Amino acid sequence: MTSTEADDTPVPFDYAGLAKPDRAWLHRAAAELRVRLRHSVQEVLAPGQVLARARKRLGRGRWEPWLSAEAQVPRRTASRLLAVHKVFGAADPNVLKHVTPTALYALSEPGVPQSLREYAVEQARDGAAVTRASCGCGSRCTAPALSPR
């Protein structure tokens, strides 16, 4: 499915003109991708939790050498995984299954308003797919903030 420009309403993909075996394969591939992307959200959160625990045990002076030598994780990658864990680690996994990993990374960046994060979680709780494009996080945040309740 794709989205319209005006909103994020899914528009069915037109399989007309494709051979029947190709249509069947593409339907299965799309279903597999949706499942794998849901799993990859957990695969983004879990390493962040492990890294947070390791950093706490190692302390400031030993963290980066361990990260490089033992974990073999670039510092920027570790920072992003830690940020996702910090921002979304306590969120309901059933809600986060509607949020793509790239949206989690974007929403976890420094400077993203908390109201934007809350709005994305609210959208996901309502069953809407939250992607990097729909979350409003690019070079600047454009998604609407939550109105005070």
Side-chain angles (χ1 to χ4, degrees):
M1 297 211 161
T2 60
S3 298
T4 64
E5 288 294 319
D7 60 28
D8 288 326
T9 306
V11 177
F13 180 79
D14 183 8
Y15 285 93
L18 293 172
K20 190 173 183 175
D22 290 337
R23 286 194 305 261
W25 186 90
L26 288 165
H27 279 289
R28 287 190 309 274
E32 179 182 344
L33 285 169
R34 287 190 299 271
V35 168
R36 286 182 185 265
L37 286 173
R38 280 188 212 112
H39 286 291
S40 65
V41 167
Q42 288 305 316
E43 291 167 6
V44 169
L45 289 170
Q49 181 180 29
V50 172
L51 288 168
R53 289 178 177 168
R55 186 172 65 178
K56 185 176 180 179
R57 287 175 183 243
L58 289 163
R60 192 173 292 249
R62 294 182 176 163
W63 163 246
E64 287 192 22
W66 176 86
L67 192 61
S68 175
E70 294 297 320
Q72 298 178 357
V73 175
R75 190 173 57 81
R76 173 71 178 137
T77 300
S79 295
R80 294 181 82 202
L81 291 166
L82 285 164
V84 170
H85 170 68
K86 181 178 178 184
V87 172
F88 294 104
D92 181 354
N94 289 320
V95 171
L96 292 183
K97 71 182 182 184
H98 299 289
V99 184
T100 65
T102 55
L104 289 176
Y105 284 123
L107 288 163
S108 299
E109 288 291 324
V112 173
Q114 183 62 27
S115 59
L116 183 61
R117 295 170 178 151
E118 291 169 0
Y119 179 78
V121 170
E122 186 175 288
Q123 294 300 304
R125 189 175 293 116
D126 291 342
V130 178
T131 65
R132 183 178 176 99
S134 72
C135 78
C137 287
S139 58
R140 60 191 173 99
C141 297
T142 58
L146 290 176
S147 56
R149 291 186 181 180

